[in-house]
Amino acid sequence: MIVRTLEEIIGSERDTRAQNWNSRRLLLRSDGAGFSLHDTVIHPGTETLIWYRHHVEAVYCIEGEGEIELTETGTVYPLRPGTLYTLNGHERHWLRTPTGLRMICVFNPPLTGKEIHDADGVYPPAGA
Ligand code: 9YT
């Protein structure tokens, strides 16, 4: 059994900072749960290109307003607290927020640690 608090993650090596977001990684592959679980804060006024080619991500918005736009179709989905999206087709997309967002994110396969997006918005495959 694993019990952790956000307070002990913040400022630790599990608190991963990128230009547009902070990801507080509550569970990682080394925890052996089969998925990773993150409390992610997206900074206000940002636009981020994301493409999880090697992972499926589920994202549940709990604070803030924003949108995702699929690059292939131009389809835009508004985000607000209570909205879930799941990139089960590895959809490449823009994530935009004027207000900032707080999201609970699950990755399968689980992230290993310090992944941040490359220039294409991709995280490397697990084990790479
Ligand atoms: C929504 C999203 O994918 N944001 C980027 C960070 C990611 N959630 C992560 O690594 O925790």
Side-chain angles (χ1 to χ4, degrees), residues 21-25 38 40 42 48 50 52 57 59 85 87 93 95 103 105 107 111 115 117 123:
W21 48 262
N22 285 7
S23 177
R24 290 80 65 93
R25 294 178 170 164
H38 317 166
T40 299
I42 313 289
T48 309
I50 298 175
Y52 295 123
E57 185 195 31
V59 180
Y85 64 91
L87 300 158
H93 61 283
L95 172 62
M103 336 270 257
C105 307
F107 279 77
L111 297 196
E115 290 94 336
H117 301 131
Y123 286 166

mmCIF file with all atom_site columns, all heavy atoms in Angstrom, residues 21-25 38 40 42 48 50 52 57 59 85 87 93 95 103 105 107 111 115 117 123, ligand 1:
data_model
loop_
_atom_site.group_PDB
_atom_site.id
_atom_site.type_symbol
_atom_site.label_atom_id
_atom_site.label_alt_id
_atom_site.label_comp_id
_atom_site.label_asym_id
_atom_site.label_entity_id
_atom_site.label_seq_id
_atom_site.pdbx_PDB_ins_code
_atom_site.Cartn_x
_atom_site.Cartn_y
_atom_site.Cartn_z
_atom_site.occupancy
_atom_site.B_iso_or_equiv
_atom_site.pdbx_formal_charge
_atom_site.auth_seq_id
_atom_site.auth_comp_id
_atom_site.auth_asym_id
_atom_site.auth_atom_id
_atom_site.pdbx_PDB_model_num
ATOM   1   N N   . TRP A 1 21  ? 3.996   24.161 -17.482 1.00 0.00 ? 21  TRP A N   1
ATOM   2   C CA  . TRP A 1 21  ? 3.262   23.403 -16.475 1.00 0.00 ? 21  TRP A CA  1
ATOM   3   C C   . TRP A 1 21  ? 4.180   22.842 -15.402 1.00 0.00 ? 21  TRP A C   1
ATOM   4   O O   . TRP A 1 21  ? 5.392   22.764 -15.593 1.00 0.00 ? 21  TRP A O   1
ATOM   5   C CB  . TRP A 1 21  ? 2.457   22.271 -17.113 1.00 0.00 ? 21  TRP A CB  1
ATOM   6   C CG  . TRP A 1 21  ? 3.195   21.412 -18.110 1.00 0.00 ? 21  TRP A CG  1
ATOM   7   C CD1 . TRP A 1 21  ? 3.165   21.525 -19.462 1.00 0.00 ? 21  TRP A CD1 1
ATOM   8   C CD2 . TRP A 1 21  ? 4.077   20.297 -17.831 1.00 0.00 ? 21  TRP A CD2 1
ATOM   9   N NE1 . TRP A 1 21  ? 3.980   20.564 -20.040 1.00 0.00 ? 21  TRP A NE1 1
ATOM   10  C CE2 . TRP A 1 21  ? 4.532   19.805 -19.068 1.00 0.00 ? 21  TRP A CE2 1
ATOM   11  C CE3 . TRP A 1 21  ? 4.506   19.681 -16.657 1.00 0.00 ? 21  TRP A CE3 1
ATOM   12  C CZ2 . TRP A 1 21  ? 5.401   18.713 -19.166 1.00 0.00 ? 21  TRP A CZ2 1
ATOM   13  C CZ3 . TRP A 1 21  ? 5.388   18.589 -16.752 1.00 0.00 ? 21  TRP A CZ3 1
ATOM   14  C CH2 . TRP A 1 21  ? 5.809   18.119 -17.993 1.00 0.00 ? 21  TRP A CH2 1
ATOM   15  N N   . ASN A 1 22  ? 3.546   22.463 -14.282 1.00 0.00 ? 22  ASN A N   1
ATOM   16  C CA  . ASN A 1 22  ? 4.187   21.660 -13.227 1.00 0.00 ? 22  ASN A CA  1
ATOM   17  C C   . ASN A 1 22  ? 3.386   20.373 -13.100 1.00 0.00 ? 22  ASN A C   1
ATOM   18  O O   . ASN A 1 22  ? 2.151   20.438 -13.018 1.00 0.00 ? 22  ASN A O   1
ATOM   19  C CB  . ASN A 1 22  ? 4.080   22.314 -11.850 1.00 0.00 ? 22  ASN A CB  1
ATOM   20  C CG  . ASN A 1 22  ? 4.997   23.477 -11.675 1.00 0.00 ? 22  ASN A CG  1
ATOM   21  O OD1 . ASN A 1 22  ? 5.640   23.918 -12.604 1.00 0.00 ? 22  ASN A OD1 1
ATOM   22  N ND2 . ASN A 1 22  ? 5.026   23.969 -10.452 1.00 0.00 ? 22  ASN A ND2 1
ATOM   23  N N   . SER A 1 23  ? 4.080   19.262 -13.026 1.00 0.00 ? 23  SER A N   1
ATOM   24  C CA  . SER A 1 23  ? 3.408   17.978 -12.835 1.00 0.00 ? 23  SER A CA  1
ATOM   25  C C   . SER A 1 23  ? 3.893   17.352 -11.535 1.00 0.00 ? 23  SER A C   1
ATOM   26  O O   . SER A 1 23  ? 5.067   17.026 -11.401 1.00 0.00 ? 23  SER A O   1
ATOM   27  C CB  . SER A 1 23  ? 3.699   17.050 -14.016 1.00 0.00 ? 23  SER A CB  1
ATOM   28  O OG  . SER A 1 23  ? 3.115   15.791 -13.791 1.00 0.00 ? 23  SER A OG  1
ATOM   29  N N   . ARG A 1 24  ? 2.968   17.211 -10.598 1.00 0.00 ? 24  ARG A N   1
ATOM   30  C CA  . ARG A 1 24  ? 3.294   16.606 -9.317  1.00 0.00 ? 24  ARG A CA  1
ATOM   31  C C   . ARG A 1 24  ? 2.963   15.115 -9.429  1.00 0.00 ? 24  ARG A C   1
ATOM   32  O O   . ARG A 1 24  ? 1.787   14.735 -9.454  1.00 0.00 ? 24  ARG A O   1
ATOM   33  C CB  . ARG A 1 24  ? 2.523   17.288 -8.188  1.00 0.00 ? 24  ARG A CB  1
ATOM   34  C CG  . ARG A 1 24  ? 3.018   18.727 -7.906  1.00 0.00 ? 24  ARG A CG  1
ATOM   35  C CD  . ARG A 1 24  ? 2.515   19.787 -8.836  1.00 0.00 ? 24  ARG A CD  1
ATOM   36  N NE  . ARG A 1 24  ? 1.087   19.958 -8.736  1.00 0.00 ? 24  ARG A NE  1
ATOM   37  C CZ  . ARG A 1 24  ? 0.483   20.853 -7.933  1.00 0.00 ? 24  ARG A CZ  1
ATOM   38  N NH1 . ARG A 1 24  ? 1.181   21.667 -7.208  1.00 0.00 ? 24  ARG A NH1 1
ATOM   39  N NH2 . ARG A 1 24  ? -0.827  20.957 -7.936  1.00 0.00 ? 24  ARG A NH2 1
ATOM   40  N N   . ARG A 1 25  ? 4.005   14.287 -9.570  1.00 0.00 ? 25  ARG A N   1
ATOM   41  C CA  . ARG A 1 25  ? 3.822   12.890 -9.967  1.00 0.00 ? 25  ARG A CA  1
ATOM   42  C C   . ARG A 1 25  ? 3.667   11.997 -8.744  1.00 0.00 ? 25  ARG A C   1
ATOM   43  O O   . ARG A 1 25  ? 4.639   11.556 -8.129  1.00 0.00 ? 25  ARG A O   1
ATOM   44  C CB  . ARG A 1 25  ? 4.958   12.501 -10.901 1.00 0.00 ? 25  ARG A CB  1
ATOM   45  C CG  . ARG A 1 25  ? 4.823   13.320 -12.197 1.00 0.00 ? 25  ARG A CG  1
ATOM   46  C CD  . ARG A 1 25  ? 5.853   13.130 -13.210 1.00 0.00 ? 25  ARG A CD  1
ATOM   47  N NE  . ARG A 1 25  ? 5.418   13.799 -14.456 1.00 0.00 ? 25  ARG A NE  1
ATOM   48  C CZ  . ARG A 1 25  ? 6.219   14.097 -15.472 1.00 0.00 ? 25  ARG A CZ  1
ATOM   49  N NH1 . ARG A 1 25  ? 7.477   13.782 -15.418 1.00 0.00 ? 25  ARG A NH1 1
ATOM   50  N NH2 . ARG A 1 25  ? 5.742   14.694 -16.549 1.00 0.00 ? 25  ARG A NH2 1
ATOM   51  N N   . HIS A 1 38  ? -0.875  11.893 -11.811 1.00 0.00 ? 38  HIS A N   1
ATOM   52  C CA  . HIS A 1 38  ? -0.229  13.195 -11.645 1.00 0.00 ? 38  HIS A CA  1
ATOM   53  C C   . HIS A 1 38  ? -1.271  14.259 -11.310 1.00 0.00 ? 38  HIS A C   1
ATOM   54  O O   . HIS A 1 38  ? -2.383  14.224 -11.836 1.00 0.00 ? 38  HIS A O   1
ATOM   55  C CB  . HIS A 1 38  ? 0.462   13.641 -12.928 1.00 0.00 ? 38  HIS A CB  1
ATOM   56  C CG  . HIS A 1 38  ? 1.234   12.569 -13.632 1.00 0.00 ? 38  HIS A CG  1
ATOM   57  N ND1 . HIS A 1 38  ? 1.675   12.690 -14.902 1.00 0.00 ? 38  HIS A ND1 1
ATOM   58  C CD2 . HIS A 1 38  ? 1.647   11.342 -13.209 1.00 0.00 ? 38  HIS A CD2 1
ATOM   59  C CE1 . HIS A 1 38  ? 2.337   11.612 -15.270 1.00 0.00 ? 38  HIS A CE1 1
ATOM   60  N NE2 . HIS A 1 38  ? 2.324   10.767 -14.259 1.00 0.00 ? 38  HIS A NE2 1
ATOM   61  N N   . THR A 1 40  ? -1.490  17.964 -12.106 1.00 0.00 ? 40  THR A N   1
ATOM   62  C CA  . THR A 1 40  ? -0.779  18.852 -13.034 1.00 0.00 ? 40  THR A CA  1
ATOM   63  C C   . THR A 1 40  ? -1.406  20.233 -13.014 1.00 0.00 ? 40  THR A C   1
ATOM   64  O O   . THR A 1 40  ? -2.629  20.367 -13.111 1.00 0.00 ? 40  THR A O   1
ATOM   65  C CB  . THR A 1 40  ? -0.847  18.280 -14.468 1.00 0.00 ? 40  THR A CB  1
ATOM   66  O OG1 . THR A 1 40  ? -0.217  17.003 -14.498 1.00 0.00 ? 40  THR A OG1 1
ATOM   67  C CG2 . THR A 1 40  ? -0.162  19.199 -15.463 1.00 0.00 ? 40  THR A CG2 1
ATOM   68  N N   . ILE A 1 42  ? -1.381  23.747 -15.144 1.00 0.00 ? 42  ILE A N   1
ATOM   69  C CA  . ILE A 1 42  ? -1.001  24.388 -16.407 1.00 0.00 ? 42  ILE A CA  1
ATOM   70  C C   . ILE A 1 42  ? -1.014  25.898 -16.170 1.00 0.00 ? 42  ILE A C   1
ATOM   71  O O   . ILE A 1 42  ? -1.996  26.440 -15.635 1.00 0.00 ? 42  ILE A O   1
ATOM   72  C CB  . ILE A 1 42  ? -1.993  24.029 -17.536 1.00 0.00 ? 42  ILE A CB  1
ATOM   73  C CG1 . ILE A 1 42  ? -2.296  22.509 -17.573 1.00 0.00 ? 42  ILE A CG1 1
ATOM   74  C CG2 . ILE A 1 42  ? -1.469  24.550 -18.874 1.00 0.00 ? 42  ILE A CG2 1
ATOM   75  C CD1 . ILE A 1 42  ? -1.193  21.639 -18.032 1.00 0.00 ? 42  ILE A CD1 1
ATOM   76  N N   . THR A 1 48  ? 0.215   24.831 -25.444 1.00 0.00 ? 48  THR A N   1
ATOM   77  C CA  . THR A 1 48  ? 1.192   23.737 -25.416 1.00 0.00 ? 48  THR A CA  1
ATOM   78  C C   . THR A 1 48  ? 0.819   22.699 -26.464 1.00 0.00 ? 48  THR A C   1
ATOM   79  O O   . THR A 1 48  ? -0.329  22.238 -26.498 1.00 0.00 ? 48  THR A O   1
ATOM   80  C CB  . THR A 1 48  ? 1.204   23.066 -24.023 1.00 0.00 ? 48  THR A CB  1
ATOM   81  O OG1 . THR A 1 48  ? 1.349   24.065 -23.010 1.00 0.00 ? 48  THR A OG1 1
ATOM   82  C CG2 . THR A 1 48  ? 2.323   22.053 -23.897 1.00 0.00 ? 48  THR A CG2 1
ATOM   83  N N   . ILE A 1 50  ? 0.981   19.013 -27.674 1.00 0.00 ? 50  ILE A N   1
ATOM   84  C CA  . ILE A 1 50  ? 1.131   17.726 -26.979 1.00 0.00 ? 50  ILE A CA  1
ATOM   85  C C   . ILE A 1 50  ? 0.779   16.590 -27.937 1.00 0.00 ? 50  ILE A C   1
ATOM   86  O O   . ILE A 1 50  ? -0.222  16.657 -28.658 1.00 0.00 ? 50  ILE A O   1
ATOM   87  C CB  . ILE A 1 50  ? 0.210   17.677 -25.730 1.00 0.00 ? 50  ILE A CB  1
ATOM   88  C CG1 . ILE A 1 50  ? 0.610   18.785 -24.739 1.00 0.00 ? 50  ILE A CG1 1
ATOM   89  C CG2 . ILE A 1 50  ? 0.241   16.314 -25.076 1.00 0.00 ? 50  ILE A CG2 1
ATOM   90  C CD1 . ILE A 1 50  ? -0.314  18.902 -23.536 1.00 0.00 ? 50  ILE A CD1 1
ATOM   91  N N   . TYR A 1 52  ? 1.048   12.431 -27.316 1.00 0.00 ? 52  TYR A N   1
ATOM   92  C CA  . TYR A 1 52  ? 1.485   11.243 -26.575 1.00 0.00 ? 52  TYR A CA  1
ATOM   93  C C   . TYR A 1 52  ? 1.448   10.032 -27.497 1.00 0.00 ? 52  TYR A C   1
ATOM   94  O O   . TYR A 1 52  ? 0.514   9.228  -27.455 1.00 0.00 ? 52  TYR A O   1
ATOM   95  C CB  . TYR A 1 52  ? 0.642   11.059 -25.315 1.00 0.00 ? 52  TYR A CB  1
ATOM   96  C CG  . TYR A 1 52  ? 0.842   12.189 -24.332 1.00 0.00 ? 52  TYR A CG  1
ATOM   97  C CD1 . TYR A 1 52  ? -0.224  12.946 -23.875 1.00 0.00 ? 52  TYR A CD1 1
ATOM   98  C CD2 . TYR A 1 52  ? 2.114   12.514 -23.878 1.00 0.00 ? 52  TYR A CD2 1
ATOM   99  C CE1 . TYR A 1 52  ? -0.030  13.991 -22.988 1.00 0.00 ? 52  TYR A CE1 1
ATOM   100 C CE2 . TYR A 1 52  ? 2.321   13.558 -23.002 1.00 0.00 ? 52  TYR A CE2 1
ATOM   101 C CZ  . TYR A 1 52  ? 1.237   14.288 -22.560 1.00 0.00 ? 52  TYR A CZ  1
ATOM   102 O OH  . TYR A 1 52  ? 1.445   15.326 -21.691 1.00 0.00 ? 52  TYR A OH  1
ATOM   103 N N   . GLU A 1 57  ? -3.256  8.962  -22.250 1.00 0.00 ? 57  GLU A N   1
ATOM   104 C CA  . GLU A 1 57  ? -3.427  9.834  -21.089 1.00 0.00 ? 57  GLU A CA  1
ATOM   105 C C   . GLU A 1 57  ? -4.914  10.116 -20.886 1.00 0.00 ? 57  GLU A C   1
ATOM   106 O O   . GLU A 1 57  ? -5.620  10.452 -21.853 1.00 0.00 ? 57  GLU A O   1
ATOM   107 C CB  . GLU A 1 57  ? -2.683  11.166 -21.277 1.00 0.00 ? 57  GLU A CB  1
ATOM   108 C CG  . GLU A 1 57  ? -2.731  12.050 -20.028 1.00 0.00 ? 57  GLU A CG  1
ATOM   109 C CD  . GLU A 1 57  ? -2.334  13.490 -20.276 1.00 0.00 ? 57  GLU A CD  1
ATOM   110 O OE1 . GLU A 1 57  ? -2.570  13.981 -21.390 1.00 0.00 ? 57  GLU A OE1 1
ATOM   111 O OE2 . GLU A 1 57  ? -1.806  14.120 -19.342 1.00 0.00 ? 57  GLU A OE2 1
ATOM   112 N N   . VAL A 1 59  ? -7.296  12.745 -18.663 1.00 0.00 ? 59  VAL A N   1
ATOM   113 C CA  . VAL A 1 59  ? -7.132  14.045 -18.002 1.00 0.00 ? 59  VAL A CA  1
ATOM   114 C C   . VAL A 1 59  ? -8.488  14.482 -17.448 1.00 0.00 ? 59  VAL A C   1
ATOM   115 O O   . VAL A 1 59  ? -9.464  14.605 -18.203 1.00 0.00 ? 59  VAL A O   1
ATOM   116 C CB  . VAL A 1 59  ? -6.617  15.103 -19.005 1.00 0.00 ? 59  VAL A CB  1
ATOM   117 C CG1 . VAL A 1 59  ? -6.439  16.448 -18.310 1.00 0.00 ? 59  VAL A CG1 1
ATOM   118 C CG2 . VAL A 1 59  ? -5.331  14.662 -19.666 1.00 0.00 ? 59  VAL A CG2 1
ATOM   119 N N   . TYR A 1 85  ? -11.085 14.215 -20.567 1.00 0.00 ? 85  TYR A N   1
ATOM   120 C CA  . TYR A 1 85  ? -10.781 13.738 -21.917 1.00 0.00 ? 85  TYR A CA  1
ATOM   121 C C   . TYR A 1 85  ? -9.713  12.664 -21.824 1.00 0.00 ? 85  TYR A C   1
ATOM   122 O O   . TYR A 1 85  ? -8.893  12.667 -20.896 1.00 0.00 ? 85  TYR A O   1
ATOM   123 C CB  . TYR A 1 85  ? -10.378 14.876 -22.872 1.00 0.00 ? 85  TYR A CB  1
ATOM   124 C CG  . TYR A 1 85  ? -9.125  15.624 -22.554 1.00 0.00 ? 85  TYR A CG  1
ATOM   125 C CD1 . TYR A 1 85  ? -7.890  15.210 -23.082 1.00 0.00 ? 85  TYR A CD1 1
ATOM   126 C CD2 . TYR A 1 85  ? -9.138  16.758 -21.756 1.00 0.00 ? 85  TYR A CD2 1
ATOM   127 C CE1 . TYR A 1 85  ? -6.724  15.919 -22.816 1.00 0.00 ? 85  TYR A CE1 1
ATOM   128 C CE2 . TYR A 1 85  ? -7.976  17.461 -21.476 1.00 0.00 ? 85  TYR A CE2 1
ATOM   129 C CZ  . TYR A 1 85  ? -6.777  17.035 -22.010 1.00 0.00 ? 85  TYR A CZ  1
ATOM   130 O OH  . TYR A 1 85  ? -5.629  17.731 -21.733 1.00 0.00 ? 85  TYR A OH  1
ATOM   131 N N   . LEU A 1 87  ? -6.980  10.554 -24.343 1.00 0.00 ? 87  LEU A N   1
ATOM   132 C CA  . LEU A 1 87  ? -6.333  10.541 -25.659 1.00 0.00 ? 87  LEU A CA  1
ATOM   133 C C   . LEU A 1 87  ? -6.039  9.092  -26.042 1.00 0.00 ? 87  LEU A C   1
ATOM   134 O O   . LEU A 1 87  ? -4.883  8.688  -26.205 1.00 0.00 ? 87  LEU A O   1
ATOM   135 C CB  . LEU A 1 87  ? -5.065  11.400 -25.607 1.00 0.00 ? 87  LEU A CB  1
ATOM   136 C CG  . LEU A 1 87  ? -5.352  12.875 -25.233 1.00 0.00 ? 87  LEU A CG  1
ATOM   137 C CD1 . LEU A 1 87  ? -4.118  13.548 -24.665 1.00 0.00 ? 87  LEU A CD1 1
ATOM   138 C CD2 . LEU A 1 87  ? -5.899  13.629 -26.430 1.00 0.00 ? 87  LEU A CD2 1
ATOM   139 N N   . HIS A 1 93  ? -2.488  17.460 -30.204 1.00 0.00 ? 93  HIS A N   1
ATOM   140 C CA  . HIS A 1 93  ? -3.418  18.558 -29.893 1.00 0.00 ? 93  HIS A CA  1
ATOM   141 C C   . HIS A 1 93  ? -2.701  19.752 -29.285 1.00 0.00 ? 93  HIS A C   1
ATOM   142 O O   . HIS A 1 93  ? -1.577  19.634 -28.774 1.00 0.00 ? 93  HIS A O   1
ATOM   143 C CB  . HIS A 1 93  ? -4.506  18.075 -28.927 1.00 0.00 ? 93  HIS A CB  1
ATOM   144 C CG  . HIS A 1 93  ? -3.983  17.596 -27.601 1.00 0.00 ? 93  HIS A CG  1
ATOM   145 N ND1 . HIS A 1 93  ? -3.390  16.370 -27.428 1.00 0.00 ? 93  HIS A ND1 1
ATOM   146 C CD2 . HIS A 1 93  ? -3.941  18.202 -26.381 1.00 0.00 ? 93  HIS A CD2 1
ATOM   147 C CE1 . HIS A 1 93  ? -3.013  16.234 -26.175 1.00 0.00 ? 93  HIS A CE1 1
ATOM   148 N NE2 . HIS A 1 93  ? -3.328  17.332 -25.509 1.00 0.00 ? 93  HIS A NE2 1
ATOM   149 N N   . LEU A 1 95  ? -3.113  22.460 -26.223 1.00 0.00 ? 95  LEU A N   1
ATOM   150 C CA  . LEU A 1 95  ? -3.796  22.709 -24.948 1.00 0.00 ? 95  LEU A CA  1
ATOM   151 C C   . LEU A 1 95  ? -3.624  24.190 -24.627 1.00 0.00 ? 95  LEU A C   1
ATOM   152 O O   . LEU A 1 95  ? -2.488  24.672 -24.543 1.00 0.00 ? 95  LEU A O   1
ATOM   153 C CB  . LEU A 1 95  ? -3.179  21.841 -23.856 1.00 0.00 ? 95  LEU A CB  1
ATOM   154 C CG  . LEU A 1 95  ? -3.640  22.097 -22.413 1.00 0.00 ? 95  LEU A CG  1
ATOM   155 C CD1 . LEU A 1 95  ? -5.135  21.824 -22.249 1.00 0.00 ? 95  LEU A CD1 1
ATOM   156 C CD2 . LEU A 1 95  ? -2.836  21.246 -21.438 1.00 0.00 ? 95  LEU A CD2 1
ATOM   157 N N   . MET A 1 103 ? -5.312  19.723 -13.372 1.00 0.00 ? 103 MET A N   1
ATOM   158 C CA  . MET A 1 103 ? -5.808  18.492 -13.966 1.00 0.00 ? 103 MET A CA  1
ATOM   159 C C   . MET A 1 103 ? -5.243  17.277 -13.214 1.00 0.00 ? 103 MET A C   1
ATOM   160 O O   . MET A 1 103 ? -4.067  17.294 -12.829 1.00 0.00 ? 103 MET A O   1
ATOM   161 C CB  . MET A 1 103 ? -5.345  18.366 -15.417 1.00 0.00 ? 103 MET A CB  1
ATOM   162 C CG  . MET A 1 103 ? -5.009  19.636 -16.139 1.00 0.00 ? 103 MET A CG  1
ATOM   163 S SD  . MET A 1 103 ? -6.473  20.221 -16.925 1.00 0.00 ? 103 MET A SD  1
ATOM   164 C CE  . MET A 1 103 ? -6.137  19.734 -18.600 1.00 0.00 ? 103 MET A CE  1
ATOM   165 N N   . CYS A 1 105 ? -4.150  13.622 -13.983 1.00 0.00 ? 105 CYS A N   1
ATOM   166 C CA  . CYS A 1 105 ? -3.750  12.931 -15.208 1.00 0.00 ? 105 CYS A CA  1
ATOM   167 C C   . CYS A 1 105 ? -3.268  11.516 -14.882 1.00 0.00 ? 105 CYS A C   1
ATOM   168 O O   . CYS A 1 105 ? -2.510  11.323 -13.928 1.00 0.00 ? 105 CYS A O   1
ATOM   169 C CB  . CYS A 1 105 ? -2.619  13.684 -15.894 1.00 0.00 ? 105 CYS A CB  1
ATOM   170 S SG  . CYS A 1 105 ? -2.963  15.429 -16.186 1.00 0.00 ? 105 CYS A SG  1
ATOM   171 N N   . PHE A 1 107 ? -1.463  8.115  -16.803 1.00 0.00 ? 107 PHE A N   1
ATOM   172 C CA  . PHE A 1 107 ? -0.749  7.648  -17.993 1.00 0.00 ? 107 PHE A CA  1
ATOM   173 C C   . PHE A 1 107 ? -0.607  6.131  -17.958 1.00 0.00 ? 107 PHE A C   1
ATOM   174 O O   . PHE A 1 107 ? -0.266  5.542  -16.927 1.00 0.00 ? 107 PHE A O   1
ATOM   175 C CB  . PHE A 1 107 ? 0.665   8.239  -18.059 1.00 0.00 ? 107 PHE A CB  1
ATOM   176 C CG  . PHE A 1 107 ? 0.725   9.636  -18.600 1.00 0.00 ? 107 PHE A CG  1
ATOM   177 C CD1 . PHE A 1 107 ? 0.359   10.716 -17.830 1.00 0.00 ? 107 PHE A CD1 1
ATOM   178 C CD2 . PHE A 1 107 ? 1.166   9.871  -19.894 1.00 0.00 ? 107 PHE A CD2 1
ATOM   179 C CE1 . PHE A 1 107 ? 0.429   12.009 -18.314 1.00 0.00 ? 107 PHE A CE1 1
ATOM   180 C CE2 . PHE A 1 107 ? 1.244   11.157 -20.393 1.00 0.00 ? 107 PHE A CE2 1
ATOM   181 C CZ  . PHE A 1 107 ? 0.874   12.224 -19.607 1.00 0.00 ? 107 PHE A CZ  1
ATOM   182 N N   . LEU A 1 111 ? 4.534   6.823  -16.572 1.00 0.00 ? 111 LEU A N   1
ATOM   183 C CA  . LEU A 1 111 ? 5.783   7.560  -16.741 1.00 0.00 ? 111 LEU A CA  1
ATOM   184 C C   . LEU A 1 111 ? 6.806   7.046  -15.739 1.00 0.00 ? 111 LEU A C   1
ATOM   185 O O   . LEU A 1 111 ? 6.470   6.538  -14.662 1.00 0.00 ? 111 LEU A O   1
ATOM   186 C CB  . LEU A 1 111 ? 5.567   9.056  -16.548 1.00 0.00 ? 111 LEU A CB  1
ATOM   187 C CG  . LEU A 1 111 ? 4.633   9.764  -17.528 1.00 0.00 ? 111 LEU A CG  1
ATOM   188 C CD1 . LEU A 1 111 ? 4.848   11.276 -17.442 1.00 0.00 ? 111 LEU A CD1 1
ATOM   189 C CD2 . LEU A 1 111 ? 4.779   9.287  -18.960 1.00 0.00 ? 111 LEU A CD2 1
ATOM   190 N N   . GLU A 1 115 ? 9.959   12.884 -17.387 1.00 0.00 ? 115 GLU A N   1
ATOM   191 C CA  . GLU A 1 115 ? 9.602   13.189 -18.770 1.00 0.00 ? 115 GLU A CA  1
ATOM   192 C C   . GLU A 1 115 ? 9.038   14.599 -18.914 1.00 0.00 ? 115 GLU A C   1
ATOM   193 O O   . GLU A 1 115 ? 8.166   15.012 -18.154 1.00 0.00 ? 115 GLU A O   1
ATOM   194 C CB  . GLU A 1 115 ? 8.541   12.199 -19.286 1.00 0.00 ? 115 GLU A CB  1
ATOM   195 C CG  . GLU A 1 115 ? 9.033   10.783 -19.504 1.00 0.00 ? 115 GLU A CG  1
ATOM   196 C CD  . GLU A 1 115 ? 8.790   9.869  -18.312 1.00 0.00 ? 115 GLU A CD  1
ATOM   197 O OE1 . GLU A 1 115 ? 8.674   10.374 -17.174 1.00 0.00 ? 115 GLU A OE1 1
ATOM   198 O OE2 . GLU A 1 115 ? 8.724   8.646  -18.524 1.00 0.00 ? 115 GLU A OE2 1
ATOM   199 N N   . HIS A 1 117 ? 7.953   17.269 -22.532 1.00 0.00 ? 117 HIS A N   1
ATOM   200 C CA  . HIS A 1 117 ? 7.695   17.170 -23.968 1.00 0.00 ? 117 HIS A CA  1
ATOM   201 C C   . HIS A 1 117 ? 8.936   17.522 -24.790 1.00 0.00 ? 117 HIS A C   1
ATOM   202 O O   . HIS A 1 117 ? 9.649   18.473 -24.454 1.00 0.00 ? 117 HIS A O   1
ATOM   203 C CB  . HIS A 1 117 ? 6.557   18.122 -24.364 1.00 0.00 ? 117 HIS A CB  1
ATOM   204 C CG  . HIS A 1 117 ? 5.275   17.844 -23.652 1.00 0.00 ? 117 HIS A CG  1
ATOM   205 N ND1 . HIS A 1 117 ? 4.542   18.822 -23.034 1.00 0.00 ? 117 HIS A ND1 1
ATOM   206 C CD2 . HIS A 1 117 ? 4.603   16.692 -23.458 1.00 0.00 ? 117 HIS A CD2 1
ATOM   207 C CE1 . HIS A 1 117 ? 3.473   18.283 -22.484 1.00 0.00 ? 117 HIS A CE1 1
ATOM   208 N NE2 . HIS A 1 117 ? 3.487   16.987 -22.723 1.00 0.00 ? 117 HIS A NE2 1
ATOM   209 N N   . TYR A 1 123 ? 6.483   12.443 -25.300 1.00 0.00 ? 123 TYR A N   1
ATOM   210 C CA  . TYR A 1 123 ? 7.314   11.841 -24.261 1.00 0.00 ? 123 TYR A CA  1
ATOM   211 C C   . TYR A 1 123 ? 7.934   10.569 -24.840 1.00 0.00 ? 123 TYR A C   1
ATOM   212 O O   . TYR A 1 123 ? 7.272   9.860  -25.602 1.00 0.00 ? 123 TYR A O   1
ATOM   213 C CB  . TYR A 1 123 ? 6.465   11.427 -23.049 1.00 0.00 ? 123 TYR A CB  1
ATOM   214 C CG  . TYR A 1 123 ? 5.965   12.533 -22.163 1.00 0.00 ? 123 TYR A CG  1
ATOM   215 C CD1 . TYR A 1 123 ? 4.970   12.260 -21.233 1.00 0.00 ? 123 TYR A CD1 1
ATOM   216 C CD2 . TYR A 1 123 ? 6.460   13.817 -22.219 1.00 0.00 ? 123 TYR A CD2 1
ATOM   217 C CE1 . TYR A 1 123 ? 4.485   13.244 -20.393 1.00 0.00 ? 123 TYR A CE1 1
ATOM   218 C CE2 . TYR A 1 123 ? 5.994   14.802 -21.391 1.00 0.00 ? 123 TYR A CE2 1
ATOM   219 C CZ  . TYR A 1 123 ? 4.992   14.518 -20.466 1.00 0.00 ? 123 TYR A CZ  1
ATOM   220 O OH  . TYR A 1 123 ? 4.521   15.506 -19.637 1.00 0.00 ? 123 TYR A OH  1
HETATM 221 C C1  . 9YT B 2 .   ? -2.559  17.750 -19.757 1.00 0.00 ? 1   9YT B C1  1
HETATM 222 C C2  . 9YT B 2 .   ? -1.145  17.420 -19.984 1.00 0.00 ? 1   9YT B C2  1
HETATM 223 O O1  . 9YT B 2 .   ? -0.809  16.448 -20.594 1.00 0.00 ? 1   9YT B O1  1
HETATM 224 N N1  . 9YT B 2 .   ? -0.272  18.265 -19.457 1.00 0.00 ? 1   9YT B N1  1
HETATM 225 C C3  . 9YT B 2 .   ? 1.148   18.072 -19.566 1.00 0.00 ? 1   9YT B C3  1
HETATM 226 C C4  . 9YT B 2 .   ? 1.772   17.419 -18.343 1.00 0.00 ? 1   9YT B C4  1
HETATM 227 C C5  . 9YT B 2 .   ? 1.308   15.992 -18.134 1.00 0.00 ? 1   9YT B C5  1
HETATM 228 N N2  . 9YT B 2 .   ? -0.021  15.932 -17.629 1.00 0.00 ? 1   9YT B N2  1
HETATM 229 C C6  . 9YT B 2 .   ? 2.209   15.317 -17.116 1.00 0.00 ? 1   9YT B C6  1
HETATM 230 O O2  . 9YT B 2 .   ? 3.332   14.963 -17.457 1.00 0.00 ? 1   9YT B O2  1
HETATM 231 O O3  . 9YT B 2 .   ? 1.776   15.160 -15.983 1.00 0.00 ? 1   9YT B O3  1
#
